[in-house]
Each structure stands twice: as structure tokens, then as C-alpha cells.
Amino acid sequence: MQIIAGPCVIESEQLLDTVATEIIRLNKKYNLNIIFKASFDKANRTSLSSFRGPGLEKGLTMLYDIKQKYGLPILTDIHESYQAKPVAEVADVIQIPAFLCRQTDLLVAAAQTGRIINIKKAQFLSGLDMRYPVEKAHQSGATDIWLTERGNSFGYNNLVVDFRNIPEMLQFTPTVIMDCTHSVQRPGAGNGVTGGNREFIPSMALAAKAFGATGFFFEIHPNPEKALSDGTNMLPLSQFEDVIKTLL
């Protein structure tokens, strides 16, 4: 079982250290290999005034420090093709955001790095539609490609998860991750920010496990109410262990 976890965006060194310390504790206690996730830039925020992160150079430096200090594998996302090469020098897994999963140049650049590629399924695509991003990445040199389910647009300001997408995507990749936190978002529903229903995160994880998901993605934060991005759909750090125990 693969688990990916970390804060939505890099807010501070202290936040990264706090989350990494808990991940290390859980790795040792449950014999796991949780991948540390954080974004250096949130390029798709609802509002221009929303916090985006420290940027590519500073953000990668901070992620490299976490990797060196704690020995954790790193996942972060890219939004532009030119970011693939420098990100690959730090990250073990390069993530393609859901809105960008059909961007050919982005997929090609990520695939050519030789890193694991995690492609998040777009909110407007079915599981079977993800065959084509996988083919683009394979044909561009990627050998290890993961897919991540994160729900589909359901009218305005809402998402719904069709769990049939998980076995469908398993037809052409052996690793399908359930994004248990972004799937409970209410996009744009928070008066200029994205809303969410974090109380459903544990249930999303268990339902995905029942449908055969091989991994789980959680955004976690010691105080989601004060988080600078995705606070309403992040799991409190104090509850993370209980969710892991339930999955195990």
C-alpha cells in the first residue's frame, strides 16, 4: 500500500518539519514508506490574492532539506514544462495536476526525466479516458506511471467520486491512488476560495480500498483552519494515524 501525505503548499520550514516528523514516526511504527508531498507553487488558486507558495527555486531547496534531514521520498507537482528538469533533481515522484493531465508537452517533459510520474485524473474525464495520458507518458520514456482518482465535476461547486474509475484505470497501470482529500473539495464554493467536507475523508479512503485502490493520497496539516491553501478539505495531522490504522 502506497501512501502520499503532506501539506497542500509549502508555508514554512516549521510546517514541513512538523509534518515530516509525524510521517517518520508513522513509517517506523507501521513499517510504511509514506511519500512526503508539498507544492512549491499553487498555480490554480481561485483568487489572484490567494497564497501560492515560495516558488520553484526556494521551494525545491526546502523540499531537498526535508529529503536530506528525514530521508523521505518527495512528491511535488509541476505546471510548466520547464519545471520538470529541476524538479526531477529533488523529487522522486513528479505529479501532473488534474486540470493539466492532457497537456502533452507537460507529460513529455515529465516522462523524459526518468522519475515516477503520478498523473491525476481530470475532473472532466472518466477513468478509461486516462489511457491516453498514460500512453503519452509511456511513449515519451516513462516506465513507472501512477494514476490518481480525485472525483468528477458534478454541477457547480461540487465533486462526486465514481469509484468504478479505480478498477477501470487498473486495466492499464498497476498503481491507482485515491486522493482522499481533494475528492471532498467544493471547488470555488468558499467565497473566493475552495470549500470542502473533510469529515468524509476516512470514508473516501475505505471505499477506494474496497474498489481496489493500491495507494492513498492525503493532504495533512496540524491546523487546517489556519492553512494557507485547501484548509477545508485537509485532514488534521492529529487524525492521520487513525485513518492509517483503519486502512491497515
Side-chain angles (χ1 to χ4, degrees):
M1 181 174 68
Q2 183 62 67
I3 297 177
I4 302 164
C8 176
V9 66
I10 299 171
E11 299 178 15
S12 66
E13 291 181 6
Q14 181 181 2
L15 173 64
L16 298 187
D17 283 328
T18 298
V19 174
T21 298
E22 177 65 0
I23 287 176
I24 287 293
R25 185 184 74 83
L26 296 174
N27 276 344
K28 292 178 179 178
K29 183 173 180 178
Y30 296 102
N31 193 29
L32 298 171
N33 185 32
I34 299 172
I35 297 174
F36 185 92
K37 180 270 171 185
S39 299
F40 56 82
D41 179 24
K42 301 300 292 183
N44 61 346
R45 298 302 307 273
T46 303
S47 170
L48 186 62
S49 61
S50 296
F51 179 76
R52 288 184 54 167
L56 178 65
E57 185 174 348
K58 184 177 180 181
L60 288 180
T61 297
M62 296 170 78
L63 290 174
Y64 179 76
D65 287 345
I66 291 296
K67 188 172 189 175
Q68 292 297 105
K69 188 185 302 184
Y70 299 98
L72 289 169
I74 300 293
L75 177 147
T76 195
D77 39 7
I78 61 173
H79 292 82
E80 303 283 352
S81 300
Y82 76 86
Q83 296 172 341
K85 186 175 181 179
V87 166
E89 295 176 2
V90 175
D92 302 272
V93 184
I94 297 177
Q95 182 166 279
I96 307 298
F99 283 126
L100 301 177
C101 74
R102 286 167 44 125
Q103 295 295 104
T104 300
D105 291 344
L106 192 64
L107 289 165
V108 170
Q112 290 176 343
T113 66
R115 292 300 192 186
I116 298 169
I117 309 301
N118 183 36
I119 310 173
K120 300 187 78 173
K121 184 185 71 62
Q123 298 90 327
F124 48 85
L125 294 179
S126 72
L128 292 176
D129 290 329
M130 293 303 293
R131 178 187 307 272
Y132 304 105
V134 169
E135 288 178 355
K136 289 180 183 180
H138 268 310
Q139 293 169 14
S140 301
T143 57
D144 198 351
I145 302 168
W146 301 352
L147 292 176
T148 295
E149 166 63 34
R150 51 98 69 243
N152 282 84
S153 296
F154 186 68
Y156 299 111
N157 307 127
N158 205 0
L159 297 171
V160 66
V161 177
D162 182 350
F163 288 97
R164 294 174 298 179
N165 286 328
I166 294 171
E168 286 182 350
M169 291 191 290
L170 284 168
Q171 295 178 35
F172 39 87
T173 183
T175 304
V176 173
I177 310 291
M178 180 65 204
D179 186 339
C180 305
T181 43
H182 286 95
S183 58
V184 300
Q185 280 183 333
R186 292 294 178 93
N191 191 27
V193 296
T194 288
N197 297 99
R198 71 170 70 95
E199 65 269 23
F200 297 123
I201 291 171
S203 299
M204 285 290 182
L206 287 174
K209 181 179 180 180
F211 275 85
T214 62
F216 303 88
F217 180 112
F218 300 96
E219 286 192 334
I220 53 179
H221 195 286
N223 189 352
E225 299 301 333
K226 293 187 177 180
L228 299 181
S229 176
D230 276 3
T232 56
N233 58 265
M234 272 202 281
L235 185 70
L237 187 61
S238 61
Q239 298 177 20
F240 186 38
E241 182 174 6
D242 287 340
V243 174
I244 286 177
K245 285 193 295 185
T246 301
L247 286 172
L248 292 174

